[in-house]
Amino acid sequence: MATQQNNKKTIAIIGAGISGLVTCKHILEKGFKPIVFESDSTIGGVWTHTLDSTRLQSPRQTYQFSDFPWPSDVKDEHPDHDQVMDYIWTYARHFDLVKWIKFNSRVIGIEYVGASEKEIMEWEVWSGNGEAFGAGEWIVTVQHDERSSVETYHVDFVILCVGRFSGIPNVPSFPRNKGPEVFQGKVIHAADFTRMGSKQTVELIKEKRVTVVGFCKSALDIASHCASVNGPEFPCTMICRTKRWGLPHLRAFWGIPFGLLYLNRFAELLFHKPNEGFLLSLLATLLSPLRWLISKFTESYIKYTTPIRKYDMVPDHSFFHGISTGLIAVLPDRFYEKVDKGSIILKKSKDFVFCEYGLILEKENEMVETDVVIFATGFKGDQKLRDIFKSPLFSSIAAGTKSTTVPLYREIIHPRIPQLAIIGYSETLSNLYLSELRSKWLAHFLDNHFKLPCIKEMEKDVKEWEKFMKLYAREYYRRSCVSIVNTWYNDQLLRDMGCNPMRKNGFFANLFVPYGPEDYANLQVKWFFILGCNFLS
């Protein structure tokens, strides 16, 4: 439905990672004019500055663009950093996306100009008309590093593709005189460490006692890297504040494929879902013992194939809770082999402080002598989201509150912030194809294939998803992870677009075969929706 009118609409995309690239591609196909602002000198987002040894968490078949498969010469099930970056660059060049990107261009603020904030808060429909483009515009202020100049751009719509795994480092706070200021060694965040490049990281850690704080993916990769450089002569200590499920792979557990256990429609019947209705709710309740059994089945395989009992690393939570939060990781190659050899030392402690020559694990009252401390403790993604808005009102509501999820309808649209969308902020086990599907949904909306429900109905739907996330992710509900109901979520996007959500041939295939990127290629619109205040898919 691309029209000549679309050519007059300018859309700012902030970020040229995976989400930014797929969004650029799909709005171009609808005839819009994008401007992509990327603060770095290259594309790729989080993949730009990972260690060379870092590999995909997901099998490559689930981490690919729906209309652009991996090259035939890539055989690895989990491609490494260079292979992933080559794939991303090839995609960008193939679809001629690079020319739309302004590199080394950091967005320092966005400001909505149009209706007053009081009027916006009184609107009953999004943007005042229920459509993508209202009467206002956004002013985007950009710092161009190369020219050290600040420019402003007037655009009709803004799409934030900033993600939650970059930006402002999340560093623990410490009592006075017990923080990094008293330590004689080097303290660095994982983001700054990986940004150094492989040669410089080796120079920093070689023949040094390194302590890595954290036990998620980046912590595991960095510890494995340190162990490979130094061996048992200078072991790397990992301080694990919360034990996590580390998987040897994502293939099959006791002979049953992982996707058959967790990534199909039948698996999703075991969970209560937002807006599910009485029958599906009853079924989820009746099948809850099977959900518990599958989780224990998976845990037994992990305990059998990795020595987590030997090292007292069995998590206190179930595997199904781990997958509900997205806080699981595929272990680096030979990780526990390095632990066995003494190249990695595992320590469990929720609280620690600095001293002159290392760290003191407070509960155990044990000192860990170290030369370098690396915080693999994540990022303040919410703060990054808030800081981009010049409006105090938008800044205060953009990421919700500590007691709510990030309030996004379809995990894309904030009901109270007009002419703006967010792609890639909530997560799943394979973020690439989910971001791609979201970008297709957004492109359809921008192209006037459907209108949004009224604001009250969108906020009601957001609350339903919040209840779901609090039920299963519990204290990690703000991660907005949709892993355990990924297909259910995708179905909603497809129905909005007017596409058939049943992508496979036959009842049993749709029920038991896992869905992947190839199922969402070549989407054909079968009907059009105008979503009213009474509609919820």
Side-chain angles (χ1 to χ4, degrees), residues 175-232:
R176 187 178 179 183
N177 296 325
K178 291 188 177 182
E181 71 276 5
V182 302
F183 179 50
Q184 294 294 312
K186 174 79 171 177
V187 179
I188 190 172
H189 189 268
D192 299 314
F193 178 76
T194 56
R195 187 178 286 270
M196 293 169 63
S198 294
K199 183 179 179 181
Q200 286 73 25
T201 61
V202 171
E203 291 175 358
L204 174 65
I205 64 176
K206 190 171 180 60
E207 297 182 355
K208 300 280 182 63
R209 297 165 299 179
V210 179
T211 297
V212 177
V213 180
F215 202 69
C216 288
K217 176 59 177 170
S218 60
L220 294 168
D221 284 339
I222 292 171
S224 183
H225 175 62
C226 294
S228 296
V229 171
N230 287 327

Side-chain angles (χ1 to χ4, degrees), residues 231-277:
E233 292 80 11
F234 294 90
C236 174
T237 300
M238 294 191 76
I239 296 181
C240 173
R241 297 184 296 173
T242 302
K243 292 178 278 190
R244 307 288 184 196
W245 291 104
L247 286 69
H249 53 74
L250 282 175
R251 293 190 294 274
F253 298 160
W254 299 121
I256 300 179
F258 180 82
L260 194 60
L261 292 170
Y262 292 100
L263 304 179
N264 56 23
R265 291 183 187 278
F266 178 78
E268 294 185 4
L269 292 176
L270 310 183
F271 297 92
H272 291 285
K273 296 170 283 296
N275 308 309
E276 63 186 349

Side-chain angles (χ1 to χ4, degrees), residues 112 120-135 138 156-159 394 397 407-409 412-422 441-442 445-446 450-459 531 533:
Y112 181 77
I120 292 172
M121 291 300 105
E122 292 175 349
W123 282 344
E124 293 184 358
V125 292
W126 198 68
S127 290
N129 58 7
E131 299 179 359
F133 301 100
W138 286 91
D156 300 292
F157 200 96
V158 170
I159 306 173
F394 289 167
I397 67 175
L408 299 178
Y409 177 71
I412 300 170
I413 297 290
H414 193 296
R416 297 288 178 177
I417 303 180
Q419 294 170 234
L420 178 138
I422 300 174
W441 181 94
L442 181 59
F445 172 55
L446 293 170
F450 60 89
K451 291 185 179 182
L452 298 175
C454 66
I455 289 174
K456 287 185 178 180
E457 287 294 335
M458 286 197 288
E459 290 177 333
L531 307 185
C533 282

